Amino acid sequence: MPVDESLKTRIEELVRAGTVRRKLAAAQLEAEIRRREEVLRRTFRRYLSPRLADKILENAQLRDTLLSTQDLRAHAVVLFADLRGFTTISERLEPGQVVPLLNEYFSLLTEITFRHDGTVFHMAGDCLMLGFGVPLEQSDSPDRAVRAAQEMLVSFKGLAHSWKERYDVDAGLGIGINEGDVVAGNIGSSTYMSYTLIGDTVNVAARLCQRARAGEMLFSRSLKQSLDALGLDIGATALPPMQVQGRSGSIDIFCVPVEERSEERRGGKE
């Protein structure tokens, strides 16, 4: 029985329409994927160096882990940096003057962090928390952290001098570093999440930062042992052990003042 021409034409139109819809859907899906990847790239680059952001975007499993509530357990180096004299600065200056100073401070430290492929995990008040070796493993994370700290201490002296000239305020920078096991994950509620680090390693690093004086970098024995294993001698001086509330034992700590590092560079040492 011959096929009705009008029916044949209708079928052909439906087939063509279906093909067009599939092509349009595929194009829309591709555009949405590109848009989401660009959003992810911008998001990661808020707290990761461009190199690390690109590596994570190339690793689907790691990317999905960072975007989910799944915890990432890692061995990492944690660095805290904190302003000295910030309370006095806040009292003397107007809020409209303090915010630009903080922006200068965080911009300086973040740029240095990214140069050493570190990750910015927390930024609040005048305190900055960084991680090295997480979320991507880095065999030389102790070296990266220490070099970043040294550069921060030296560079901040110039910024502090500028603040003194402009506003007649005094400021310093103290840094604490610890190495050990951490948990990285998205912490928060259903409406707000923050990708951060938690664990005893983080707590000790924060306490070391609190104890550091302006121009000092304090770090733990665990980091010192890693630096020794890498054959790196940065001229650290052992200090009396530090007692941490809630811990049964004390923590061996070491110090490297920025002044000593400056003298070593002038003398040709590195």
Side-chain angles (χ1 to χ4, degrees), residues 10 36 38 78 87 101 111 138 162 187 225 228 236 240 242 247 261 267:
R10 179 58 178 162
R36 290 186 179 184
E38 181 58 30
V78 181
T87 301
L101 295 188
E111 289 170 5
Q138 297 165 321
S162 172
I187 310 298
Q225 291 173 338
D228 292 343
M242 181 179 71
R247 274 175 154 262
R261 296 300 305 167

Side-chain angles (χ1 to χ4, degrees), residues 75-79 113 116-118 130-134 138 141 144-145 148:
H75 187 84
V77 177
V78 181
L79 183 155
T113 300
H116 296 272
D117 283 337
L130 313 173
F132 294 84
V134 61
Q138 297 165 321
S141 56
R144 291 177 183 271

Side-chain angles (χ1 to χ4, degrees), residues 169-231:
V169 294
D170 296 306
L173 179 67
I175 293 177
I177 313 176
N178 189 29
E179 180 181 3
D181 295 333
V182 300
V183 175
N186 288 293
I187 310 298
S189 66
S190 59
T191 56
Y192 177 79
M193 301 290 287
S194 176
Y195 187 65
T196 189
L197 299 177
I198 59 175
D200 182 67
T201 298
V202 178
N203 298 336
V204 171
R207 290 296 302 273
L208 287 169
C209 181
Q210 291 173 1
R211 177 161 173 173
R213 296 175 298 181
E216 281 187 345
M217 167 186 20
L218 298 186
F219 55 88
S220 62
R221 176 170 292 278
S222 60
L223 184 74
K224 177 68 163 58
Q225 291 173 338
S226 293
L227 294 174
D228 292 343
L230 292 170

